[in-house]
Amino acid sequence: MSNVVDKKSLNEVLAFYHCSLNNSTVSPLGNGLINQTYLVRSINNNFVLQRINDHVFKQPEQVINNAELINNHLKNKQDQNQYPLEPMWQITSNNDSPMVKTTEGFWRAIKFIPNCYTVEAVETSEQAEQVATAFGQFTSALSDFPTSQLKEIIPDFHNLDFRLGQLKKAVVDDPKNRLSQCQQLVDFCFEQNDFIKRVADLVASLPVQVTHNDTKINNLLFNSETHKPIAVIDLDTCMPGFIMHDFGDMVRTCCSNLAEDATDLENMHIRMDIFESLAKAYTKSFNGKISELEQESLIIGAQLLPFMIGIRFLTDYIDGDNYFHTNHDLHNLERAQNQLHLFKLLNSTQHQLAKSVFFK
Ligand code: GN1
Ligand code: MG
């Protein structure tokens, strides 16, 4: 799928929303690695337009249906004063559906909330607290949602054995002869037997919840006046899952002092104050609806997500960059090195981290 959408294709999709490039402006929005997202400003209204990556999301209609179900549930909770954030409505097009199919792929429009902004990186422990509280409120409000109604959008998305299997396959195929560039890193992944076993034991016993699976701060909208989160966005990977995945992705994206593709790894450290704020706020947001095992799993999740995404970046590097958008040939390898280094740091500080989860 091409990253560039031409004017003709944009006009084709805009027509479904009663506008065109003659009466509206379309500008890229956000920094996602998967979908293409635009802000459309027209005379009638402003909305977010998104082309869903159908290489990643094989059945885009399932992404859209899941979002409808989740939004309806959140709206009910909001009406009962049990959800303090805003659901992110998808807009019905003139074909009476929230999904539009054109020659360029699958599209949807999402309501635009004015006077808000997104934040790319966590800098303070107050922000970490906001992230953990908002994503915790989200999953907590969905705790009585029947998970079986949700389609598993990307099967085995956060299944470690499956991700290790994909890496194994890429190593055997080595289609771009890139293995020699990363053999040591590959070996490192397969040497983590104790950790892999701990994860397998845990997932056999953890309760299933509706999880977001992409809990970075840039998937929250902040109100420009109050500077507080007003909505959780990007519901694409909402699926039945384990809360350690959501907590782990927060730790992965908030606690490192470096960006996920930074290469000066000797400078990487874990921001303990941020970790503590995440752990305390996330646990608190469930209002006691979190089991002891789930609480314990948070420490494993914190290590698991960097490990698993490191494996995914490494697999994509060996495969020839088919999945994640990259800016240069070594981009996925650098991301993998970075995330696996973060895993190492989190692994070696796990006892210290556990203290802040259990508030000892
Ligand atoms: C992808 O496109 P974005 O940034 O929302 C990926 C996440 C990764 C992330 C790494 C569907 O998310 O799992 O954590 O890149 N989403 C999918 O930056 O694979
Ligand atoms: Mg995402």
Side-chain angles (χ1 to χ4, degrees), residues 32-35 57 212-214 216 219 233-237:
L33 296 188
I34 306 288
N35 292 323
F57 301 109
H212 182 277
N213 293 306
D214 194 7
K216 37 185 184 276
N219 279 331
I233 60 173
D234 186 0
L235 308 188
D236 300 350
T237 50

Side-chain angles (χ1 to χ4, degrees), residues 32-34 157 214 216 234 237 252 260 309 312 323-324:
L33 296 188
I34 306 288
F157 189 58
D214 194 7
K216 37 185 184 276
D234 186 0
T237 50
R252 178 184 92 74
E260 80 180 0
I309 286 168
R312 292 175 61 200
Y323 189 95
F324 296 105

Side-chain angles (χ1 to χ4, degrees), residues 74-281:
L74 293 178
K75 178 77 179 73
N76 285 337
K77 290 283 163 170
Q78 193 192 37
D79 291 346
Q80 298 164 39
N81 285 328
Q82 289 174 13
Y83 186 56
L85 306 174
E86 284 292 316
M88 290 298 293
W89 291 113
Q90 298 175 129
I91 299 168
T92 306
S93 73
N94 68 9
N95 69 3
D96 281 336
S97 153
M99 187 178 84
V100 164
K101 165 116 182 65
T102 70
T103 43
E104 277 284 324
F106 295 88
W107 300 80
R108 64 160 156 205
I110 300 169
K111 108 173 150 178
F112 173 74
I113 304 183
N115 304 320
C116 63
Y117 62 94
T118 52
V119 174
E120 279 310 310
V122 164
E123 268 150 30
T124 65
S125 38
E126 287 72 32
Q127 284 175 319
E129 191 180 325
Q130 289 175 328
V131 171
T133 304
F135 285 110
Q137 286 166 336
F138 178 82
T139 289
S140 186
L142 289 160
S143 63
D144 57 347
F145 181 90
T147 45
S148 59
Q149 284 187 13
L150 288 185
K151 291 282 184 296
E152 203 181 347
I153 296 289
I154 304 179
D156 297 311
F157 189 58
H158 280 155
N159 176 342
L160 182 58
D161 285 342
F162 175 76
R163 295 304 184 183
L164 284 164
Q166 285 185 315
L167 178 59
K168 225 172 253 170
K169 181 172 184 320
V171 165
V172 170
D173 296 348
D174 193 18
K176 303 279 171 188
N177 295 317
R178 285 178 167 184
L179 184 59
S180 55
Q181 297 292 310
C182 58
Q183 186 66 58
Q184 267 189 333
L185 211 54
V186 168
D187 293 345
F188 171 80
C189 294
F190 290 116
E191 277 158 16
Q192 304 309 308
N193 294 320
D194 289 349
F195 182 72
I196 294 166
K197 168 88 174 56
R198 280 181 80 187
V199 172
D201 290 346
L202 203 48
V203 300
S205 329
L206 279 173
V208 173
Q209 304 250 18
V210 178
T211 47
H212 182 277
N213 293 306
D214 194 7
T215 53
K216 37 185 184 276
I217 193 170
N218 70 8
N219 279 331
L220 292 179
L221 287 185
F222 286 83
N223 181 305
S224 307
E225 277 159 27
T226 64
H227 301 289
K228 292 193 170 140
I230 48 167
V232 166
I233 60 173
D234 186 0
L235 308 188
D236 300 350
T237 50
C238 280
M239 283 179 275
F242 306 120
I243 63 167
M244 69 167 175
H245 296 154
D246 274 0
F247 181 72
D249 205 44
M250 270 173 227
V251 171
R252 178 184 92 74
T253 55
C254 301
C255 293
S256 167
N257 61 321
L258 303 181
E260 80 180 0
D261 59 356
T263 53
D264 55 332
L265 301 186
E266 66 286 1
N267 294 328
M268 185 187 282
H269 68 262
I270 312 285
R271 299 189 291 181
M272 288 305 287
D273 54 333
I274 301 230
F275 182 88
E276 259 186 63
S277 297
L278 288 178
K280 287 188 176 155

